[in-house]
Amino acid sequence: MTVGGFLSLPQSCPSFAAPIDSRNTVAAVAAASNPGALRFRHKSFPSATYLRAPRRAMDPPRCLGSSDLEEATDDIAAAATLQRGVPSDLVEKMMYDALVWSALHGLVVGDRRVQNSGTVPGVGLVHAPFALLPMSFPKAYWRQACELAPIFNELVDRASLDAKFLQDSLSRTKKVDAFTSRLLDIHSKMLEINKTEDIRLGLHRSDYMLDSETNLLLQIELNTISSSFPGLSCLVSELHRNLLNQYGKDLGLDSRRVPGNTAVSRFADALAKAWNEYNNCSAVVMVVVQSEERNMYDQHWLCAVLKEMHGVATIRKTLSEIDTQGHVLPDGSLVVDGQTVAVIYFRAGYSPNDYPSEAEWRARFLMEKSSAIKCPSIAYHLVGTKKIQQELAKPNVLERFLDNEDIAKVRKCFAGLWSLDDPDAVKSAIEKPDLFVLKPQREGGGNNIYGDNVRETLIRLQQQGTGELAAYILMQRIFPTASLAFLVREGVWHQDNAISELGIYGAYLRNKDKVIMNDQCGYLMRTKVSSSNEGGVAAGFAVLDSIYLT
């Protein structure tokens, strides 16, 4: 087995062994979009270094920076033992300890089988779904992903200021996608009243997979709204370090190779700094939430750290409550339920389901026109759409926003991305649908289209001729290597072939010309069975995980 009880098995996928030429249409289209995205040799992964030993299990979660990697030793004496299977009695012992640890440390979500578990705190708790042991991940790719975070933060900010780029890029999508149209309408109204955001806060997450065909770290998407799990991801890292402290000798694994996780504390730092820039000590941070939220404890972790570390109070409001309880004063201040709001932190509002009536849209417009700091602003939100991701991957577009050195780093991680205006890309996807993913302008998991459904959807949309092709983009499908993993849900473990997705959090805060914060802020690892196309934890497709640096 490889790290953490995983047996490496290449996932079944089409071969890209042929060199790129005009006879290989899929590869040629991919190369035109992103020449670095398709390379056709397997390479060996770099050797490991170690992390400092963790603090006691009962200590608050803390996250280690990349500098901690430098203090490691290079002894990989345990490598030979990684080929052993994990005995079932050892799995049962680790399971019991992991479940106890999760209950004691708040690694929990609401149990969907229990009424009110998504509305009343403390009712119907169950451990969050998690992998029993961390997933191996090459240190070189880990560093690459971490180094990209500040660049993507800056890219989001600069692209958000180019209103024409956003409006033009989404103009055709607007005609066929009602949700995107409403967001663009709010953006347009802000332009009409010359509304500017002098203080801009972004809490982002860029998601990646390691592609076994190209041996590249490729970006799946960039999240600019409601980047979830900064709280629980830290706890999973601590859980795994705790288990390896206890059972590492039996497993041949070293807990120091599991990097700590800064997500919850660094996100709290960013919110506190933004609150401070607003300069009203009686104001609060408002968390915009869904009416029923079983992942509320991830949010509460962040609010608790914000209060305990920085003394900043939070309130939780749905969009509907903001509509009925909120108003904007003549000076632009947003007041909700009698409290002035300094920072609006969205953990809802990213899906059409969050806007069941005009009341929710009124609330979004109310917040946007206020002087409160939005995380994200409507412009930041639009930069995170799938269509803008595809537009940024076009030749000569990044040059509008980034310096040359950063352009090369970003472009290297771009998978192939195409507009459905591209007839060659559409033709290739119909002929070989398994090589593509069809993506609508949606967040939250469960929305993408795979396999034969790609062909069927494209043919149907072409036949309809209504322009609805503009509501989607095509993306090169990424084929990571599958490994056996122990996946835990509702107190039961099972072993299955699994693949993982690494998300790197980033925080960006700017006040006019002054960049106050631009940092990488921890990570989220999600693991799912390799037969599942979608990957959301809250949506029920994946489990929380951490990484074991190799």
Side-chain angles (χ1 to χ4, degrees):
M1 74 175 184
T2 58
V3 173
F6 305 93
L7 176 64
S8 290
L9 297 170
Q11 188 182 9
S12 175
C13 62
S15 173
F16 283 92
I20 297 175
D21 60 32
S22 59
R23 291 167 295 180
N24 187 339
T25 307
V26 177
V29 173
S33 169
N34 178 11
L38 296 178
R39 298 174 187 169
F40 309 110
R41 283 191 314 230
H42 290 279
K43 303 173 186 175
S44 61
F45 290 150
S47 59
T49 57
Y50 292 96
L51 293 163
R52 283 199 298 242
R55 292 159 58 162
R56 296 186 308 275
M58 291 302 292
D59 284 349
R62 83 178 176 101
C63 297
L64 305 180
S66 59
S67 61
D68 291 287
L69 300 175
E70 305 300 336
E71 302 186 6
T73 65
D74 239 353
D75 181 13
I76 316 180
T81 67
L82 298 182
Q83 303 305 312
R84 294 199 315 241
V86 181
S88 59
D89 60 338
L90 181 56
V91 174
E92 293 294 340
K93 288 180 182 179
M94 290 190 296
M95 262 290 295
Y96 184 86
D97 287 350
L99 294 175
V100 170
W101 193 99
S102 297
L104 292 177
H105 292 79
L107 182 52
V108 294
V109 294
D111 188 340
R112 65 181 65 250
R113 299 166 298 184
V114 178
Q115 188 175 7
N116 296 329
S117 64
T119 56
V120 182
V123 172
L125 303 184
V126 66
H127 71 83
F130 62 86
L132 186 60
L133 292 167
M135 180 65 79
S136 61
F137 199 84
K139 185 180 68 173
Y141 294 107
W142 159 253
R143 282 182 167 164
Q144 178 190 352
C146 291
E147 289 171 359
L148 282 167
I151 303 174
F152 275 113
N153 290 342
E154 192 70 49
L155 176 60
V156 170
D157 187 67
R158 294 179 184 178
S160 75
L161 299 177
D162 193 333
K164 187 177 187 303
F165 168 71
L166 295 178
Q167 289 283 337
D168 289 352
S169 297
L170 292 165
S171 60
R172 294 190 67 248
T173 304
K174 177 179 181 177
K175 296 177 182 178
V176 293
D177 188 285
F179 181 62
T180 303
S181 178
R182 294 299 296 265
L183 295 176
L184 276 172
D185 285 344
I186 295 176
H187 184 250
S188 295
K189 290 174 182 175
M190 295 304 107
L191 296 175
E192 289 171 7
I193 64 175
N194 294 317
K195 179 70 172 65
T196 58
E197 301 293 334
D198 290 336
I199 306 174
R200 301 189 293 277
L201 172 64
L203 297 178
H204 309 139
R205 194 188 69 234
S206 184
D207 295 332
Y208 305 92
M209 277 185 170
L210 275 177
D211 183 47
S212 61
E213 289 297 313
T214 63
N215 214 22
L216 292 172
L217 182 76
L218 298 181
Q219 186 186 56
I220 298 167
E221 63 180 353
L222 177 62
N223 302 277
T224 60
I225 183 171
S226 188
S227 299
S228 61
F229 293 113
L232 298 192
S233 64
C234 289
L235 292 172
V236 175
S237 300
E238 289 298 312
L239 167 63
H240 285 161
R241 289 160 70 90
N242 181 270
L243 288 174
L244 296 190
N245 278 337
Q246 296 183 66
Y247 300 104
K249 290 184 179 179
D250 297 317
L251 297 165
L253 303 176
D254 191 324
S255 66
R256 293 173 295 174
R257 291 197 189 185
V258 179
N261 203 330
T262 60
V264 73
S265 60
R266 297 311 309 280
F267 269 24
D269 288 346
L271 288 167
K273 289 178 186 293
W275 176 87
N276 189 63
E277 291 297 312
Y278 190 79
N279 198 27
N280 183 339
C281 62
S282 64
V284 298
V285 171
M286 181 172 70
V287 186
V288 182
V289 298
Q290 295 173 337
S291 58
E292 188 171 7
E293 178 58 87
R294 292 186 173 87
N295 193 31
M296 70 170 81
Y297 304 101
D298 176 63
Q299 301 166 5
H300 282 304
W301 264 112
L302 179 55
C303 294
V305 173
L306 181 61
K307 179 65 174 178
E308 293 171 11
M309 290 181 61
H310 303 283
V312 177
T314 58
I315 59 173
R316 294 168 59 85
K317 297 292 179 181
T318 65
L319 287 167
S320 178
E321 288 171 334
I322 294 166
D323 177 57
T324 59
Q325 301 173 14
H327 62 278
V328 174
L329 299 179
D331 67 355
S333 299
L334 175 65
V335 178
V336 178
D337 199 17
Q339 295 180 285
T340 301
V341 176
V343 181
I344 305 165
Y345 172 46
F346 285 90
R347 290 298 293 263
Y350 54 84
S351 164
N353 297 332
D354 293 331
Y355 302 85
S357 71
E358 284 301 308
E360 289 76 19
W361 285 112
R362 285 195 302 268
R364 185 67 187 269
F365 178 74
L366 181 78
M367 290 183 285
E368 202 63 35
K369 73 177 183 179
S370 76
S371 62
I373 301 166
K374 275 74 77 174
C375 181
S377 67
I378 193 71
Y380 270 36
H381 186 169
L382 291 172
V383 174
T385 60
K386 305 296 190 295
K387 179 60 180 176
I388 295 300
Q389 181 185 7
Q390 178 258 311
E391 289 290 321
L392 289 170
K394 284 183 175 179
N396 303 316
V397 175
L398 284 178
E399 283 77 0
R400 295 173 64 167
F401 306 113
L402 296 176
D403 299 327
N404 288 336
E405 182 180 351
D406 290 339
I407 289 169
K409 292 177 181 178
V410 168
R411 193 159 278 148
K412 182 179 179 181
C413 78
F414 278 166
L417 292 158
W418 304 272
S419 165
L420 296 192
D421 292 336
D422 186 331
D424 290 335
V426 173
K427 181 175 181 291
S428 296
I430 291 174
E431 293 174 350
K432 299 181 179 179
D434 287 339
L435 301 184
F436 297 87
V437 180
L438 191 59
K439 290 188 169 187
Q441 310 302 310
R442 295 292 180 268
E443 304 294 337
N447 300 299
N448 296 335
I449 299 170
Y450 299 85
D452 289 338
N453 291 332
V454 171
R455 176 192 293 119
E456 294 169 4
T457 302
L458 288 174
I459 292 174
R460 175 176 55 82
L461 292 174
Q462 284 183 327
Q463 290 174 345
Q464 288 175 349
T466 59
E468 288 192 20
L469 285 169
Y472 297 85
I473 67 164
L474 270 175
M475 180 175 173
Q476 166 196 350
R477 188 163 184 176
I478 301 171
F479 294 99
T481 298
S483 308
L484 281 178
F486 297 101
L487 310 178
V488 184
R489 281 185 181 275
E490 298 175 356
V492 178
W493 67 270
H494 76 281
Q495 196 175 30
D496 209 331
N497 288 326
I499 56 178
S500 294
E501 180 177 323
L502 174 66
I504 298 293
Y505 294 108
Y508 187 89
L509 177 63
R510 187 185 192 107
N511 190 342
K512 297 182 179 177
D513 293 333
K514 181 183 179 183
V515 176
I516 298 164
M517 184 176 186
N518 183 14
D519 293 329
Q520 175 264 331
C521 298
Y523 70 98
L524 168 68
M525 193 72 159
R526 289 169 294 179
T527 294
K528 63 179 181 179
V529 296
S530 58
S531 59
S532 172
N533 288 321
E534 294 290 351
V537 176
F541 301 107
V543 301
L544 297 170
D545 206 341
S546 70
I547 65 177
Y548 188 93
L549 293 174
T550 60

